[in-house]
Amino acid sequence: PVAASALPLTRQAPRSSFDLTIEGAPSSAYDTAADHAFAIVARSWVSRVPVSVNLSITPLFNSDSSANTQILGLARASALESLENETLGLFQIPAAEAVTGVNINEGRSGIRAFDILITINSNINWYTGTDARPGGGEWDLPTVLLHETMHGLGFHGLMEVNGGTARFGGGTTRFDQFLGNGDGCSISPFAGPGGWSRELYQAVTHNNLYFVDASGEKIARLHAPETFVVGSSVYHVSEQLDGSSNDLMTPSLPSSYARHELGEVTLRILDTLLDRNQIGARQCATLAPADTEGTPTSDTILGLSRLNFFILVGAVSS
């Protein structure tokens, strides 16, 4: 396959196709909104293998009833795959298929037959139009579908936290491979050999986290608040990009707002993830080894499996 870094950032003609299965749609307007969103993604995602998506529209509830937010949607790939070179990290199914040209999950059953699993909250007052003009108190469905699809394609990782420590649980994804600090250096040296690391936790919670390529270029600042939020921290871009053409992958979305483009930052991240010439962020010899603790762990965090869903929230007061 062509190295993703050689692809232009401006796409026009469709470069891939998305096969969509919708469950629980209240009306055909949801189908129209979804078709619109996936047509936008198809112009940018480069793959000879069609991407199969299961979209479920069902009630979702915030576990923190006091929070002034509500969950808009959740998404993940159905599985992670290791390619022939394990140093590249674990690929989500659509990315693995894009770089190999092989329909990896063909013949699988149930949800594993799909590449991407998206859940949209039916309790939300959705705007299903395709003109990017939601009204007051309405959330734009195509925008949320674009956001969640990016989680299914690549904005995904295995970061786990336990108190003031963190680790990569079960390996690192392609996105994890490109996590770096403000110096443009990979944070992977902070990850201890099997144990929990205080330095890794510090690296992902102090607003100094970036998506960094192999040359050390900081492509995007990532969402890294001082308190780690499962489903929100690390695998979104910084809220400093709110209001710009690159704000699709910020962790929250106000009502009456729409973004029907991926933006240059999102495109560059996707291109980097598909570029097998890049193992990950630049390695710098100046980073000290991790200070680790052998804290007992489990396969879940707050009830979410390691293949956890990444959450987009909306502000109720917006």
Side-chain angles (χ1 to χ4, degrees), residues 5-20:
S5 59
L7 300 172
L9 290 179
T10 301
R11 282 83 161 183
Q12 295 298 330
R15 294 169 173 266
S16 60
S17 61
F18 286 75
D19 297 334
L20 180 63

Side-chain angles (χ1 to χ4, degrees), residues 40-41 44 47-48 102 107 114 125 131 135-136 146 171 176 185 210 215 219 222-223 232 237 299 302 305 307 313 315:
I40 294 172
V41 182
S44 299
S47 178
R48 296 192 299 270
V102 176
F114 294 96
N125 182 24
D131 59 358
L146 287 175
D176 288 330
C185 298
Y210 293 82
S215 72
I219 294 176
L222 301 176
H223 183 58
S232 181
V237 299
D299 288 336
L302 301 182
S305 71
L307 279 176
V313 299

Side-chain angles (χ1 to χ4, degrees), residues 3 11 20 25 37 41 52 79-80 85 103 105 121 143-144 156 164 166 168 200 215 238 279 281 286 297 307:
R11 282 83 161 183
L20 180 63
V41 182
S52 57
L80 298 174
N85 184 350
N103 190 342
N105 57 345
N121 191 352
T143 300
V144 174
H156 174 96
F168 293 108
L200 186 60
S215 72
S238 169
I279 294 177
T286 56
T297 184
L307 279 176

Side-chain angles (χ1 to χ4, degrees), residues 5 8 10 40 45 75 90 99 102-103 106 139 163 197 216 278 281 298 304:
S5 59
T10 301
I40 294 172
W45 184 249
L90 297 169
V99 300
V102 176
N103 190 342
E106 185 176 17
W139 274 269
S197 165
Q278 296 199 55
S298 69
L304 297 175

Side-chain angles (χ1 to χ4, degrees), residues 275-287:
D275 184 358
R276 287 191 287 183
N277 293 319
Q278 296 199 55
I279 294 177
R282 181 183 62 161
Q283 297 291 327
C284 304
T286 56
L287 293 182

Side-chain angles (χ1 to χ4, degrees), residues 67-86:
N68 194 33
T69 61
Q70 52 189 337
I71 297 172
L72 300 179
L74 313 168
R76 65 170 171 89
S78 64
L80 298 174
E81 296 289 335
S82 177
L83 302 186
E84 74 282 356
N85 184 350
E86 294 186 1

